[in-house]
Amino acid sequence: MISVNDFRTGLTIEVDNGIWRVIDFQHVKPGKGAAFVRSKLRNLRTGAIQEKTFRAGEKVAKAQIETRRMQYLYASDDMHVFMDNESYEQIELPANAIEYELKFLKENMEVQIMMFQTETLGVELPNTVELKVTETEPGIKGDTASGGTKPATLETGLTVNVPFFINEGDVLIINTTESSYVSRA
């Protein structure tokens, strides 16, 4: 058990039969009345985001989330197969559980798999990934000063806005939290 006064971003807790990750929190001490902690939590099973308020000093159970480094192998119908790099154990995750993460996953890519006891919760992506541009309009020479962008389709099917100087075949660094272009690799 931990006190809500000890909340920090990224902490995982068990509340209302759910496993939640603290996305944001704020300690509030109103001029009149008791102090409280306003928090924004993400459900690790469903991905839903909920705002919840706790009384200051309230105790909640800390969820022990284990992460295992695994390699993404392949997709088979609606299932996606990952392999543990140490034990060679394979697990399958349904496509609807990792819908957002699939935009960034390439075969043979190493990711962290979140586990709670024996339950697999999902895939934890790195902050950035390198993806190759498969389709975009050709760059216009000398049009770099305007600072505009154009859409580019990447090898996973993700479409992001990129600067005009990006061409097909370029490898880009993509931010996985915002699905945005960072730079060329």
Side-chain angles (χ1 to χ4, degrees), residues 26-95:
Q26 182 179 24
H27 295 273
V28 180
K29 174 75 175 108
K32 185 175 182 183
F36 59 92
V37 175
R38 185 180 299 139
S39 63
K40 193 173 190 179
L41 308 171
R42 177 187 302 270
N43 188 321
L44 293 179
R45 288 188 176 119
T46 64
I49 295 175
Q50 184 176 10
E51 291 190 10
K52 194 162 181 68
T53 303
F54 299 93
R55 290 187 316 270
E58 190 175 336
K59 302 276 187 191
V60 294
K62 185 176 179 184
Q64 293 294 331
I65 303 295
E66 190 177 306
T67 57
R68 292 169 56 185
R69 179 170 282 285
M70 291 191 162
Q71 184 178 28
Y72 175 58
L73 295 180
Y74 58 88
S76 173
D77 295 326
D78 279 350
M79 299 303 280
H80 296 269
V81 181
F82 295 85
M83 181 182 71
D84 190 315
N85 291 342
E86 295 173 10
S87 67
Y88 304 108
E89 173 190 346
Q90 292 185 2
I91 63 166
E92 292 185 340
L93 293 175

Side-chain angles (χ1 to χ4, degrees), residues 163-182:
F164 287 126
F165 59 83
I166 300 296
N167 296 312
E168 285 184 22
D170 287 352
V171 178
L172 307 178
I173 296 175
I174 303 296
N175 182 327
T176 57
T177 54
E178 299 172 354
S179 300
S180 61
Y181 166 83
V182 176

Side-chain angles (χ1 to χ4, degrees), residues 70-138:
M70 291 191 162
Q71 184 178 28
Y72 175 58
L73 295 180
Y74 58 88
S76 173
D77 295 326
D78 279 350
M79 299 303 280
H80 296 269
V81 181
F82 295 85
M83 181 182 71
D84 190 315
N85 291 342
E86 295 173 10
S87 67
Y88 304 108
E89 173 190 346
Q90 292 185 2
I91 63 166
E92 292 185 340
L93 293 175
N96 59 2
I98 55 172
E99 198 170 322
Y100 178 77
E101 290 83 357
L102 286 175
K103 297 176 189 175
F104 306 99
L105 286 177
K106 295 189 304 185
E107 289 184 3
N108 301 322
M109 184 177 179
E110 288 194 359
V111 294
Q112 299 285 337
I113 302 290
M114 294 183 293
M115 311 276 288
F116 177 69
Q117 295 167 350
T118 58
E119 178 185 3
T120 304
L121 295 175
V123 176
E124 194 170 286
L125 292 168
N127 290 335
T128 59
V129 294
E130 291 185 4
L131 297 173
K132 189 175 181 181
V133 177
T134 57
E135 185 181 329
T136 188
E137 297 171 12

